[in-house]
Amino acid sequence: NLCFPGLFTGELPLQCCSKEYIYTTTQWGSVQKVVRISLANGEVSLVNVDIIRSSGQSSESLASQQLMCIDIDGGAILTESAPNRPAIVGYVSPRSLERKNVSRKVEGTLVAEMGPISASSFTPTPEREVLGLLNYNYEVFLMSTPPLESAKEDDETPVQWIFLKPPRRDSTLPPLIVVPHGGPHSCTPTTYIPAYAFLCAKGYAILHVNYRGSTGFGQRALESLPGNVGKLDVKDVVHAVETITGSGWVDKNR
């Protein structure tokens, strides 16, 4: 539900241009999105790609997508993952990529599916066993947090949390691990991260807090943190923890 927050990208892919557009990945709230920028007028459009996995699952609206490159014919190669879904590689044809309205679903072709963990010939991947453990869900919460006295009175910059919920095997509530990102100008995206997938599969709830000052939420949100480091970020993390522990979803004592 976030409007376009501006471009938040570290660098452009080496091959990112066609005759009419520049393509890149940007942080859009807690989700990585592929966008198209017109060379003629600078118009920015969301490229909403739908890649069907071998399991028959379509792309989720909260899954993150990242552009790898534009090929010599003008098609796009991109990756997609979610906190509970390992990365896949997809391809979008030039014709689909340059149609007028790419914010509606653009069909992508599945190229490859990545394994859930790193492996080599010395550590073969038990993919079926590992994939069976990824039966947990996640949610992205958007909250408006009141400012500190030292911040602007009209500051209502958004804060997002990514909450990974382990499957309930009995009546016991799971313990909670809270993960504020570094930076402080950074962001935890809705991508597959094996370490947190492992912990969630083992019964831990995971809470990623993209506090005020995180990238992907607009210039105003970004500039709210300088001068308030150790205050706004800490307040947002504490507020997120208190909300989650008070929800009855986790064990507030662990």
Side-chain angles (χ1 to χ4, degrees):
N1 296 325
L2 289 175
C3 297
F4 177 60
L7 285 175
F8 289 87
T9 181
E11 59 182 358
L12 294 174
L14 290 177
Q15 297 170 296
C16 63
C17 295
S18 67
K19 293 181 179 180
E20 298 181 30
Y21 301 102
I22 294 175
Y23 297 88
T24 189
T25 306
T26 187
Q27 196 71 36
W28 196 316
S30 299
V31 184
Q32 291 177 334
K33 300 281 191 179
V34 177
V35 293
R36 184 182 74 182
I37 307 167
S38 171
L39 293 173
N41 57 23
E43 180 183 7
V44 179
S45 302
L46 170 66
V47 182
N48 187 12
V49 182
D50 185 23
I51 307 171
I52 307 298
R53 293 175 177 252
S54 60
S55 62
Q57 293 176 305
S58 298
S59 296
E60 300 175 356
S61 60
L62 294 176
S64 283
Q65 296 184 341
Q66 186 171 12
L67 178 70
M68 302 294 288
C69 67
I70 300 297
D71 69 12
I72 194 171
D73 297 318
I77 300 173
L78 65 151
T79 63
E80 175 188 293
S81 73
N84 57 354
R85 301 170 82 176
I88 58 175
V89 179
Y91 174 77
V92 182
S93 69
R95 182 176 180 180
S96 296
L97 200 60
E98 298 200 0
R99 76 183 194 193
K100 185 175 181 180
N101 190 352
V102 288
S103 61
R104 295 182 179 178
K105 282 193 175 182
V106 176
E107 290 187 6
T109 302
L110 178 66
V111 175
E113 296 181 288
M114 302 293 101
I117 60 175
S118 299
S120 69
S121 58
F122 299 100
T123 56
T125 309
E127 290 199 4
R128 291 184 180 179
E129 179 181 340
V130 176
L131 288 172
L133 296 175
L134 304 181
N135 60 338
Y136 56 86
N137 297 316
Y138 73 96
E139 291 187 50
V140 177
F141 296 96
L142 176 65
M143 305 291 291
S144 291
T145 306
L148 294 174
E149 293 180 0
S150 59
K152 295 179 180 179
E153 293 183 358
D154 60 348
D155 177 24
E156 294 183 354
T157 54
V159 175
Q160 281 190 339
W161 319 329
I162 305 171
F163 182 52
L164 280 61
K165 300 187 293 185
R168 292 283 297 274
R169 297 180 176 87
D170 51 41
S171 59
T172 304
L173 294 174
L176 176 66
I177 297 176
V178 184
V179 190
H181 61 72
H185 295 312
S186 181
C187 187
T188 300
T190 56
T191 54
Y192 179 76
I193 305 174
Y196 299 124
F198 171 81
L199 289 169
C200 195
K202 290 298 182 180
Y204 293 90
I206 309 294
L207 180 63
H208 298 284
V209 184
N210 288 322
Y211 48 77
R212 278 172 285 186
S214 299
T215 54
F217 294 89
Q219 189 72 14
R220 182 178 178 182
L222 198 70
E223 293 177 348
S224 68
L225 190 56
N228 289 299
V229 175
K231 298 177 183 179
L232 284 183
D233 46 356
V234 172
K235 181 177 181 179
D236 290 347
V237 173
V238 170
H239 176 59
V241 172
E242 290 177 342
T243 301
I244 292 297
T245 54
S247 67
W249 293 333
V250 299
D251 186 340
K252 63 181 180 181
N253 297 314
R254 293 193 294 162

mmCIF file with all atom_site columns, all heavy atoms in Angstrom, residues 14 36 67 71 88 91 95-96 105 118-119 122 130 135 140 144 151 180 183 189 196 199-200 202 215 242:
data_model
loop_
_atom_site.group_PDB
_atom_site.id
_atom_site.type_symbol
_atom_site.label_atom_id
_atom_site.label_alt_id
_atom_site.label_comp_id
_atom_site.label_asym_id
_atom_site.label_entity_id
_atom_site.label_seq_id
_atom_site.pdbx_PDB_ins_code
_atom_site.Cartn_x
_atom_site.Cartn_y
_atom_site.Cartn_z
_atom_site.occupancy
_atom_site.B_iso_or_equiv
_atom_site.pdbx_formal_charge
_atom_site.auth_seq_id
_atom_site.auth_comp_id
_atom_site.auth_asym_id
_atom_site.auth_atom_id
_atom_site.pdbx_PDB_model_num
ATOM 1   N N   . LEU A 1 14  ? 24.936 -4.000  -14.977 1.00 0.00 ? 14  LEU A N   1
ATOM 2   C CA  . LEU A 1 14  ? 25.830 -3.661  -16.091 1.00 0.00 ? 14  LEU A CA  1
ATOM 3   C C   . LEU A 1 14  ? 25.060 -3.546  -17.400 1.00 0.00 ? 14  LEU A C   1
ATOM 4   O O   . LEU A 1 14  ? 25.347 -2.694  -18.233 1.00 0.00 ? 14  LEU A O   1
ATOM 5   C CB  . LEU A 1 14  ? 26.945 -4.708  -16.205 1.00 0.00 ? 14  LEU A CB  1
ATOM 6   C CG  . LEU A 1 14  ? 27.987 -4.696  -15.075 1.00 0.00 ? 14  LEU A CG  1
ATOM 7   C CD1 . LEU A 1 14  ? 28.986 -5.831  -15.273 1.00 0.00 ? 14  LEU A CD1 1
ATOM 8   C CD2 . LEU A 1 14  ? 28.700 -3.357  -15.016 1.00 0.00 ? 14  LEU A CD2 1
ATOM 9   N N   . ARG A 1 36  ? 10.832 0.256   -14.446 1.00 0.00 ? 36  ARG A N   1
ATOM 10  C CA  . ARG A 1 36  ? 11.211 0.687   -15.794 1.00 0.00 ? 36  ARG A CA  1
ATOM 11  C C   . ARG A 1 36  ? 11.171 2.212   -15.847 1.00 0.00 ? 36  ARG A C   1
ATOM 12  O O   . ARG A 1 36  ? 10.186 2.825   -15.447 1.00 0.00 ? 36  ARG A O   1
ATOM 13  C CB  . ARG A 1 36  ? 10.239 0.092   -16.814 1.00 0.00 ? 36  ARG A CB  1
ATOM 14  C CG  . ARG A 1 36  ? 10.580 0.385   -18.262 1.00 0.00 ? 36  ARG A CG  1
ATOM 15  C CD  . ARG A 1 36  ? 9.528  -0.217  -19.180 1.00 0.00 ? 36  ARG A CD  1
ATOM 16  N NE  . ARG A 1 36  ? 8.263  0.535   -19.156 1.00 0.00 ? 36  ARG A NE  1
ATOM 17  C CZ  . ARG A 1 36  ? 7.175  0.185   -19.840 1.00 0.00 ? 36  ARG A CZ  1
ATOM 18  N NH1 . ARG A 1 36  ? 7.193  -0.917  -20.575 1.00 0.00 ? 36  ARG A NH1 1
ATOM 19  N NH2 . ARG A 1 36  ? 6.084  0.921   -19.779 1.00 0.00 ? 36  ARG A NH2 1
ATOM 20  N N   . LEU A 1 67  ? 16.415 -7.577  -10.744 1.00 0.00 ? 67  LEU A N   1
ATOM 21  C CA  . LEU A 1 67  ? 16.865 -7.664  -12.130 1.00 0.00 ? 67  LEU A CA  1
ATOM 22  C C   . LEU A 1 67  ? 18.315 -8.104  -12.188 1.00 0.00 ? 67  LEU A C   1
ATOM 23  O O   . LEU A 1 67  ? 19.171 -7.538  -11.507 1.00 0.00 ? 67  LEU A O   1
ATOM 24  C CB  . LEU A 1 67  ? 16.712 -6.298  -12.821 1.00 0.00 ? 67  LEU A CB  1
ATOM 25  C CG  . LEU A 1 67  ? 17.195 -6.229  -14.274 1.00 0.00 ? 67  LEU A CG  1
ATOM 26  C CD1 . LEU A 1 67  ? 16.264 -7.015  -15.182 1.00 0.00 ? 67  LEU A CD1 1
ATOM 27  C CD2 . LEU A 1 67  ? 17.296 -4.773  -14.736 1.00 0.00 ? 67  LEU A CD2 1
ATOM 28  N N   . ASP A 1 71  ? 19.021 -8.805  -21.742 1.00 0.00 ? 71  ASP A N   1
ATOM 29  C CA  . ASP A 1 71  ? 19.845 -9.533  -22.705 1.00 0.00 ? 71  ASP A CA  1
ATOM 30  C C   . ASP A 1 71  ? 19.945 -8.779  -24.031 1.00 0.00 ? 71  ASP A C   1
ATOM 31  O O   . ASP A 1 71  ? 19.341 -7.711  -24.212 1.00 0.00 ? 71  ASP A O   1
ATOM 32  C CB  . ASP A 1 71  ? 19.330 -10.962 -22.905 1.00 0.00 ? 71  ASP A CB  1
ATOM 33  C CG  . ASP A 1 71  ? 17.989 -11.031 -23.620 1.00 0.00 ? 71  ASP A CG  1
ATOM 34  O OD1 . ASP A 1 71  ? 17.534 -10.012 -24.182 1.00 0.00 ? 71  ASP A OD1 1
ATOM 35  O OD2 . ASP A 1 71  ? 17.392 -12.124 -23.637 1.00 0.00 ? 71  ASP A OD2 1
ATOM 36  N N   . ILE A 1 88  ? 14.168 -18.267 -7.489  1.00 0.00 ? 88  ILE A N   1
ATOM 37  C CA  . ILE A 1 88  ? 14.010 -18.817 -8.826  1.00 0.00 ? 88  ILE A CA  1
ATOM 38  C C   . ILE A 1 88  ? 14.532 -17.786 -9.819  1.00 0.00 ? 88  ILE A C   1
ATOM 39  O O   . ILE A 1 88  ? 14.664 -16.605 -9.491  1.00 0.00 ? 88  ILE A O   1
ATOM 40  C CB  . ILE A 1 88  ? 12.536 -19.167 -9.145  1.00 0.00 ? 88  ILE A CB  1
ATOM 41  C CG1 . ILE A 1 88  ? 11.640 -17.914 -9.007  1.00 0.00 ? 88  ILE A CG1 1
ATOM 42  C CG2 . ILE A 1 88  ? 12.036 -20.297 -8.283  1.00 0.00 ? 88  ILE A CG2 1
ATOM 43  C CD1 . ILE A 1 88  ? 10.196 -18.152 -9.426  1.00 0.00 ? 88  ILE A CD1 1
ATOM 44  N N   . TYR A 1 91  ? 12.542 -15.338 -16.928 1.00 0.00 ? 91  TYR A N   1
ATOM 45  C CA  . TYR A 1 91  ? 12.841 -14.566 -18.133 1.00 0.00 ? 91  TYR A CA  1
ATOM 46  C C   . TYR A 1 91  ? 11.563 -13.909 -18.637 1.00 0.00 ? 91  TYR A C   1
ATOM 47  O O   . TYR A 1 91  ? 10.491 -14.526 -18.654 1.00 0.00 ? 91  TYR A O   1
ATOM 48  C CB  . TYR A 1 91  ? 13.405 -15.479 -19.233 1.00 0.00 ? 91  TYR A CB  1
ATOM 49  C CG  . TYR A 1 91  ? 13.611 -14.778 -20.565 1.00 0.00 ? 91  TYR A CG  1
ATOM 50  C CD1 . TYR A 1 91  ? 14.694 -13.937 -20.769 1.00 0.00 ? 91  TYR A CD1 1
ATOM 51  C CD2 . TYR A 1 91  ? 12.702 -14.952 -21.607 1.00 0.00 ? 91  TYR A CD2 1
ATOM 52  C CE1 . TYR A 1 91  ? 14.878 -13.281 -21.979 1.00 0.00 ? 91  TYR A CE1 1
ATOM 53  C CE2 . TYR A 1 91  ? 12.874 -14.309 -22.832 1.00 0.00 ? 91  TYR A CE2 1
ATOM 54  C CZ  . TYR A 1 91  ? 13.971 -13.473 -23.004 1.00 0.00 ? 91  TYR A CZ  1
ATOM 55  O OH  . TYR A 1 91  ? 14.145 -12.826 -24.208 1.00 0.00 ? 91  TYR A OH  1
ATOM 56  N N   . ARG A 1 95  ? 8.889  -8.295  -25.933 1.00 0.00 ? 95  ARG A N   1
ATOM 57  C CA  . ARG A 1 95  ? 7.540  -7.835  -26.257 1.00 0.00 ? 95  ARG A CA  1
ATOM 58  C C   . ARG A 1 95  ? 6.729  -7.571  -24.995 1.00 0.00 ? 95  ARG A C   1
ATOM 59  O O   . ARG A 1 95  ? 6.039  -6.546  -24.877 1.00 0.00 ? 95  ARG A O   1
ATOM 60  C CB  . ARG A 1 95  ? 6.832  -8.873  -27.130 1.00 0.00 ? 95  ARG A CB  1
ATOM 61  C CG  . ARG A 1 95  ? 5.439  -8.458  -27.557 1.00 0.00 ? 95  ARG A CG  1
ATOM 62  C CD  . ARG A 1 95  ? 4.838  -9.502  -28.498 1.00 0.00 ? 95  ARG A CD  1
ATOM 63  N NE  . ARG A 1 95  ? 3.505  -9.126  -28.916 1.00 0.00 ? 95  ARG A NE  1
ATOM 64  C CZ  . ARG A 1 95  ? 2.736  -9.846  -29.732 1.00 0.00 ? 95  ARG A CZ  1
ATOM 65  N NH1 . ARG A 1 95  ? 3.198  -11.000 -30.227 1.00 0.00 ? 95  ARG A NH1 1
ATOM 66  N NH2 . ARG A 1 95  ? 1.525  -9.429  -30.063 1.00 0.00 ? 95  ARG A NH2 1
ATOM 67  N N   . SER A 1 96  ? 6.819  -8.479  -24.022 1.00 0.00 ? 96  SER A N   1
ATOM 68  C CA  . SER A 1 96  ? 6.081  -8.297  -22.772 1.00 0.00 ? 96  SER A CA  1
ATOM 69  C C   . SER A 1 96  ? 6.662  -7.158  -21.951 1.00 0.00 ? 96  SER A C   1
ATOM 70  O O   . SER A 1 96  ? 5.939  -6.386  -21.309 1.00 0.00 ? 96  SER A O   1
ATOM 71  C CB  . SER A 1 96  ? 6.120  -9.590  -21.952 1.00 0.00 ? 96  SER A CB  1
ATOM 72  O OG  . SER A 1 96  ? 5.459  -10.640 -22.625 1.00 0.00 ? 96  SER A OG  1
ATOM 73  N N   . LYS A 1 105 ? 0.048  -7.669  -14.498 1.00 0.00 ? 105 LYS A N   1
ATOM 74  C CA  . LYS A 1 105 ? 0.916  -8.843  -14.516 1.00 0.00 ? 105 LYS A CA  1
ATOM 75  C C   . LYS A 1 105 ? 1.549  -9.079  -15.880 1.00 0.00 ? 105 LYS A C   1
ATOM 76  O O   . LYS A 1 105 ? 0.866  -9.160  -16.894 1.00 0.00 ? 105 LYS A O   1
ATOM 77  C CB  . LYS A 1 105 ? 0.148  -10.088 -14.064 1.00 0.00 ? 105 LYS A CB  1
ATOM 78  C CG  . LYS A 1 105 ? -0.028 -10.149 -12.551 1.00 0.00 ? 105 LYS A CG  1
ATOM 79  C CD  . LYS A 1 105 ? -0.505 -11.510 -12.094 1.00 0.00 ? 105 LYS A CD  1
ATOM 80  C CE  . LYS A 1 105 ? -0.554 -11.578 -10.574 1.00 0.00 ? 105 LYS A CE  1
ATOM 81  N NZ  . LYS A 1 105 ? -0.981 -12.909 -10.088 1.00 0.00 ? 105 LYS A NZ  1
ATOM 82  N N   . SER A 1 118 ? 23.049 -23.835 0.509   1.00 0.00 ? 118 SER A N   1
ATOM 83  C CA  . SER A 1 118 ? 24.266 -23.993 -0.277  1.00 0.00 ? 118 SER A CA  1
ATOM 84  C C   . SER A 1 118 ? 24.745 -25.445 -0.169  1.00 0.00 ? 118 SER A C   1
ATOM 85  O O   . SER A 1 118 ? 24.627 -26.074 0.874   1.00 0.00 ? 118 SER A O   1
ATOM 86  C CB  . SER A 1 118 ? 25.355 -23.044 0.231   1.00 0.00 ? 118 SER A CB  1
ATOM 87  O OG  . SER A 1 118 ? 24.951 -21.712 0.109   1.00 0.00 ? 118 SER A OG  1
ATOM 88  N N   . ALA A 1 119 ? 25.285 -25.957 -1.260  1.00 0.00 ? 119 ALA A N   1
ATOM 89  C CA  . ALA A 1 119 ? 25.713 -27.348 -1.263  1.00 0.00 ? 119 ALA A CA  1
ATOM 90  C C   . ALA A 1 119 ? 26.856 -27.540 -2.235  1.00 0.00 ? 119 ALA A C   1
ATOM 91  O O   . ALA A 1 119 ? 27.096 -26.711 -3.118  1.00 0.00 ? 119 ALA A O   1
ATOM 92  C CB  . ALA A 1 119 ? 24.554 -28.265 -1.641  1.00 0.00 ? 119 ALA A CB  1
ATOM 93  N N   . PHE A 1 122 ? 30.549 -32.374 -1.735  1.00 0.00 ? 122 PHE A N   1
ATOM 94  C CA  . PHE A 1 122 ? 30.895 -32.909 -0.419  1.00 0.00 ? 122 PHE A CA  1
ATOM 95  C C   . PHE A 1 122 ? 29.723 -32.829 0.558   1.00 0.00 ? 122 PHE A C   1
ATOM 96  O O   . PHE A 1 122 ? 29.663 -33.555 1.527   1.00 0.00 ? 122 PHE A O   1
ATOM 97  C CB  . PHE A 1 122 ? 32.096 -32.144 0.167   1.00 0.00 ? 122 PHE A CB  1
ATOM 98  C CG  . PHE A 1 122 ? 33.335 -32.251 -0.673  1.00 0.00 ? 122 PHE A CG  1
ATOM 99  C CD1 . PHE A 1 122 ? 33.710 -31.229 -1.527  1.00 0.00 ? 122 PHE A CD1 1
ATOM 100 C CD2 . PHE A 1 122 ? 34.125 -33.397 -0.620  1.00 0.00 ? 122 PHE A CD2 1
ATOM 101 C CE1 . PHE A 1 122 ? 34.844 -31.325 -2.305  1.00 0.00 ? 122 PHE A CE1 1
ATOM 102 C CE2 . PHE A 1 122 ? 35.265 -33.507 -1.405  1.00 0.00 ? 122 PHE A CE2 1
ATOM 103 C CZ  . PHE A 1 122 ? 35.628 -32.481 -2.249  1.00 0.00 ? 122 PHE A CZ  1
ATOM 104 N N   . VAL A 1 130 ? 14.658 -30.580 3.081   1.00 0.00 ? 130 VAL A N   1
ATOM 105 C CA  . VAL A 1 130 ? 14.758 -29.184 3.487   1.00 0.00 ? 130 VAL A CA  1
ATOM 106 C C   . VAL A 1 130 ? 13.525 -28.396 3.059   1.00 0.00 ? 130 VAL A C   1
ATOM 107 O O   . VAL A 1 130 ? 12.966 -27.615 3.829   1.00 0.00 ? 130 VAL A O   1
ATOM 108 C CB  . VAL A 1 130 ? 16.031 -28.545 2.910   1.00 0.00 ? 130 VAL A CB  1
ATOM 109 C CG1 . VAL A 1 130 ? 16.072 -27.055 3.250   1.00 0.00 ? 130 VAL A CG1 1
ATOM 110 C CG2 . VAL A 1 130 ? 17.273 -29.243 3.451   1.00 0.00 ? 130 VAL A CG2 1
ATOM 111 N N   . ASN A 1 135 ? 7.517  -24.858 5.663   1.00 0.00 ? 135 ASN A N   1
ATOM 112 C CA  . ASN A 1 135 ? 6.058  -24.762 5.716   1.00 0.00 ? 135 ASN A CA  1
ATOM 113 C C   . ASN A 1 135 ? 5.599  -23.726 6.730   1.00 0.00 ? 135 ASN A C   1
ATOM 114 O O   . ASN A 1 135 ? 4.612  -23.904 7.431   1.00 0.00 ? 135 ASN A O   1
ATOM 115 C CB  . ASN A 1 135 ? 5.450  -26.133 6.046   1.00 0.00 ? 135 ASN A CB  1
ATOM 116 C CG  . ASN A 1 135 ? 5.918  -26.668 7.389   1.00 0.00 ? 135 ASN A CG  1
ATOM 117 O OD1 . ASN A 1 135 ? 6.970  -26.260 7.884   1.00 0.00 ? 135 ASN A OD1 1
ATOM 118 N ND2 . ASN A 1 135 ? 5.159  -27.585 7.976   1.00 0.00 ? 135 ASN A ND2 1
ATOM 119 N N   . VAL A 1 140 ? 3.855  -9.044  6.419   1.00 0.00 ? 140 VAL A N   1
ATOM 120 C CA  . VAL A 1 140 ? 4.503  -7.731  6.458   1.00 0.00 ? 140 VAL A CA  1
ATOM 121 C C   . VAL A 1 140 ? 3.509  -6.762  7.064   1.00 0.00 ? 140 VAL A C   1
ATOM 122 O O   . VAL A 1 140 ? 2.403  -6.587  6.551   1.00 0.00 ? 140 VAL A O   1
ATOM 123 C CB  . VAL A 1 140 ? 4.931  -7.269  5.055   1.00 0.00 ? 140 VAL A CB  1
ATOM 124 C CG1 . VAL A 1 140 ? 5.543  -5.871  5.133   1.00 0.00 ? 140 VAL A CG1 1
ATOM 125 C CG2 . VAL A 1 140 ? 5.935  -8.248  4.443   1.00 0.00 ? 140 VAL A CG2 1
ATOM 126 N N   . SER A 1 144 ? 2.322  3.112   11.553  1.00 0.00 ? 144 SER A N   1
ATOM 127 C CA  . SER A 1 144 ? 2.729  4.503   11.716  1.00 0.00 ? 144 SER A CA  1
ATOM 128 C C   . SER A 1 144 ? 3.071  4.706   13.183  1.00 0.00 ? 144 SER A C   1
ATOM 129 O O   . SER A 1 144 ? 2.270  4.383   14.070  1.00 0.00 ? 144 SER A O   1
ATOM 130 C CB  . SER A 1 144 ? 1.613  5.458   11.296  1.00 0.00 ? 144 SER A CB  1
ATOM 131 O OG  . SER A 1 144 ? 1.415  5.398   9.895   1.00 0.00 ? 144 SER A OG  1
ATOM 132 N N   . ALA A 1 151 ? 11.752 15.070  17.322  1.00 0.00 ? 151 ALA A N   1
ATOM 133 C CA  . ALA A 1 151 ? 11.460 14.946  15.896  1.00 0.00 ? 151 ALA A CA  1
ATOM 134 C C   . ALA A 1 151 ? 10.335 15.910  15.532  1.00 0.00 ? 151 ALA A C   1
ATOM 135 O O   . ALA A 1 151 ? 9.719  16.550  16.384  1.00 0.00 ? 151 ALA A O   1
ATOM 136 C CB  . ALA A 1 151 ? 11.060 13.514  15.554  1.00 0.00 ? 151 ALA A CB  1
ATOM 137 N N   . PRO A 1 180 ? 16.974 -6.304  14.092  1.00 0.00 ? 180 PRO A N   1
ATOM 138 C CA  . PRO A 1 180 ? 17.043 -4.978  13.468  1.00 0.00 ? 180 PRO A CA  1
ATOM 139 C C   . PRO A 1 180 ? 18.237 -4.941  12.522  1.00 0.00 ? 180 PRO A C   1
ATOM 140 O O   . PRO A 1 180 ? 19.301 -5.462  12.845  1.00 0.00 ? 180 PRO A O   1
ATOM 141 C CB  . PRO A 1 180 ? 17.236 -4.035  14.661  1.00 0.00 ? 180 PRO A CB  1
ATOM 142 C CG  . PRO A 1 180 ? 17.855 -4.879  15.729  1.00 0.00 ? 180 PRO A CG  1
ATOM 143 C CD  . PRO A 1 180 ? 17.446 -6.300  15.478  1.00 0.00 ? 180 PRO A CD  1
ATOM 144 N N   . GLY A 1 183 ? 23.327 -0.437  9.320   1.00 0.00 ? 183 GLY A N   1
ATOM 145 C CA  . GLY A 1 183 ? 23.258 0.705   8.418   1.00 0.00 ? 183 GLY A CA  1
ATOM 146 C C   . GLY A 1 183 ? 23.736 2.002   9.049   1.00 0.00 ? 183 GLY A C   1
ATOM 147 O O   . GLY A 1 183 ? 24.913 2.287   9.026   1.00 0.00 ? 183 GLY A O   1
ATOM 148 N N   . PRO A 1 189 ? 14.910 -6.945  3.190   1.00 0.00 ? 189 PRO A N   1
ATOM 149 C CA  . PRO A 1 189 ? 13.854 -7.185  2.201   1.00 0.00 ? 189 PRO A CA  1
ATOM 150 C C   . PRO A 1 189 ? 13.158 -8.522  2.428   1.00 0.00 ? 189 PRO A C   1
ATOM 151 O O   . PRO A 1 189 ? 13.614 -9.364  3.207   1.00 0.00 ? 189 PRO A O   1
ATOM 152 C CB  . PRO A 1 189 ? 14.636 -7.208  0.880   1.00 0.00 ? 189 PRO A CB  1
ATOM 153 C CG  . PRO A 1 189 ? 15.969 -7.786  1.270   1.00 0.00 ? 189 PRO A CG  1
ATOM 154 C CD  . PRO A 1 189 ? 16.244 -7.309  2.675   1.00 0.00 ? 189 PRO A CD  1
ATOM 155 N N   . TYR A 1 196 ? 17.741 -17.548 8.565   1.00 0.00 ? 196 TYR A N   1
ATOM 156 C CA  . TYR A 1 196 ? 16.470 -17.309 9.250   1.00 0.00 ? 196 TYR A CA  1
ATOM 157 C C   . TYR A 1 196 ? 15.427 -18.362 8.866   1.00 0.00 ? 196 TYR A C   1
ATOM 158 O O   . TYR A 1 196 ? 14.547 -18.689 9.662   1.00 0.00 ? 196 TYR A O   1
ATOM 159 C CB  . TYR A 1 196 ? 15.974 -15.893 8.944   1.00 0.00 ? 196 TYR A CB  1
ATOM 160 C CG  . TYR A 1 196 ? 16.942 -14.838 9.430   1.00 0.00 ? 196 TYR A CG  1
ATOM 161 C CD1 . TYR A 1 196 ? 17.467 -13.890 8.564   1.00 0.00 ? 196 TYR A CD1 1
ATOM 162 C CD2 . TYR A 1 196 ? 17.359 -14.819 10.756  1.00 0.00 ? 196 TYR A CD2 1
ATOM 163 C CE1 . TYR A 1 196 ? 18.371 -12.937 9.003   1.00 0.00 ? 196 TYR A CE1 1
ATOM 164 C CE2 . TYR A 1 196 ? 18.263 -13.872 11.207  1.00 0.00 ? 196 TYR A CE2 1
ATOM 165 C CZ  . TYR A 1 196 ? 18.773 -12.930 10.321  1.00 0.00 ? 196 TYR A CZ  1
ATOM 166 O OH  . TYR A 1 196 ? 19.681 -12.007 10.760  1.00 0.00 ? 196 TYR A OH  1
ATOM 167 N N   . LEU A 1 199 ? 16.177 -21.176 11.277  1.00 0.00 ? 199 LEU A N   1
ATOM 168 C CA  . LEU A 1 199 ? 15.699 -20.916 12.631  1.00 0.00 ? 199 LEU A CA  1
ATOM 169 C C   . LEU A 1 199 ? 14.181 -21.003 12.716  1.00 0.00 ? 199 LEU A C   1
ATOM 170 O O   . LEU A 1 199 ? 13.628 -21.550 13.675  1.00 0.00 ? 199 LEU A O   1
ATOM 171 C CB  . LEU A 1 199 ? 16.173 -19.524 13.084  1.00 0.00 ? 199 LEU A CB  1
ATOM 172 C CG  . LEU A 1 199 ? 17.674 -19.398 13.364  1.00 0.00 ? 199 LEU A CG  1
ATOM 173 C CD1 . LEU A 1 199 ? 18.058 -17.934 13.537  1.00 0.00 ? 199 LEU A CD1 1
ATOM 174 C CD2 . LEU A 1 199 ? 18.072 -20.198 14.588  1.00 0.00 ? 199 LEU A CD2 1
ATOM 175 N N   . CYS A 1 200 ? 13.494 -20.482 11.696  1.00 0.00 ? 200 CYS A N   1
ATOM 176 C CA  . CYS A 1 200 ? 12.029 -20.538 11.708  1.00 0.00 ? 200 CYS A CA  1
ATOM 177 C C   . CYS A 1 200 ? 11.546 -21.975 11.573  1.00 0.00 ? 200 CYS A C   1
ATOM 178 O O   . CYS A 1 200 ? 10.599 -22.388 12.229  1.00 0.00 ? 200 CYS A O   1
ATOM 179 C CB  . CYS A 1 200 ? 11.471 -19.667 10.585  1.00 0.00 ? 200 CYS A CB  1
ATOM 180 S SG  . CYS A 1 200 ? 9.709  -19.304 10.755  1.00 0.00 ? 200 CYS A SG  1
ATOM 181 N N   . LYS A 1 202 ? 12.981 -24.489 12.681  1.00 0.00 ? 202 LYS A N   1
ATOM 182 C CA  . LYS A 1 202 ? 13.264 -25.145 13.957  1.00 0.00 ? 202 LYS A CA  1
ATOM 183 C C   . LYS A 1 202 ? 12.375 -24.635 15.091  1.00 0.00 ? 202 LYS A C   1
ATOM 184 O O   . LYS A 1 202 ? 12.542 -25.024 16.244  1.00 0.00 ? 202 LYS A O   1
ATOM 185 C CB  . LYS A 1 202 ? 14.732 -24.951 14.332  1.00 0.00 ? 202 LYS A CB  1
ATOM 186 C CG  . LYS A 1 202 ? 15.699 -25.726 13.439  1.00 0.00 ? 202 LYS A CG  1
ATOM 187 C CD  . LYS A 1 202 ? 15.472 -27.227 13.545  1.00 0.00 ? 202 LYS A CD  1
ATOM 188 C CE  . LYS A 1 202 ? 16.453 -28.014 12.717  1.00 0.00 ? 202 LYS A CE  1
ATOM 189 N NZ  . LYS A 1 202 ? 16.228 -29.484 12.827  1.00 0.00 ? 202 LYS A NZ  1
ATOM 190 N N   . THR A 1 215 ? 15.909 2.430   4.154   1.00 0.00 ? 215 THR A N   1
ATOM 191 C CA  . THR A 1 215 ? 15.747 2.762   2.744   1.00 0.00 ? 215 THR A CA  1
ATOM 192 C C   . THR A 1 215 ? 14.465 2.135   2.205   1.00 0.00 ? 215 THR A C   1
ATOM 193 O O   . THR A 1 215 ? 14.006 1.109   2.690   1.00 0.00 ? 215 THR A O   1
ATOM 194 C CB  . THR A 1 215 ? 16.948 2.262   1.936   1.00 0.00 ? 215 THR A CB  1
ATOM 195 O OG1 . THR A 1 215 ? 17.143 0.847   2.192   1.00 0.00 ? 215 THR A OG1 1
ATOM 196 C CG2 . THR A 1 215 ? 18.218 3.001   2.311   1.00 0.00 ? 215 THR A CG2 1
ATOM 197 N N   . GLU A 1 242 ? 6.935  -5.124  21.469  1.00 0.00 ? 242 GLU A N   1
ATOM 198 C CA  . GLU A 1 242 ? 5.798  -5.077  22.400  1.00 0.00 ? 242 GLU A CA  1
ATOM 199 C C   . GLU A 1 242 ? 4.498  -5.452  21.707  1.00 0.00 ? 242 GLU A C   1
ATOM 200 O O   . GLU A 1 242 ? 3.633  -6.111  22.291  1.00 0.00 ? 242 GLU A O   1
ATOM 201 C CB  . GLU A 1 242 ? 5.696  -3.681  23.013  1.00 0.00 ? 242 GLU A CB  1
ATOM 202 C CG  . GLU A 1 242 ? 6.822  -3.364  23.985  1.00 0.00 ? 242 GLU A CG  1
ATOM 203 C CD  . GLU A 1 242 ? 6.744  -1.952  24.530  1.00 0.00 ? 242 GLU A CD  1
ATOM 204 O OE1 . GLU A 1 242 ? 6.033  -1.113  23.907  1.00 0.00 ? 242 GLU A OE1 1
ATOM 205 O OE2 . GLU A 1 242 ? 7.388  -1.669  25.560  1.00 0.00 ? 242 GLU A OE2 1
#
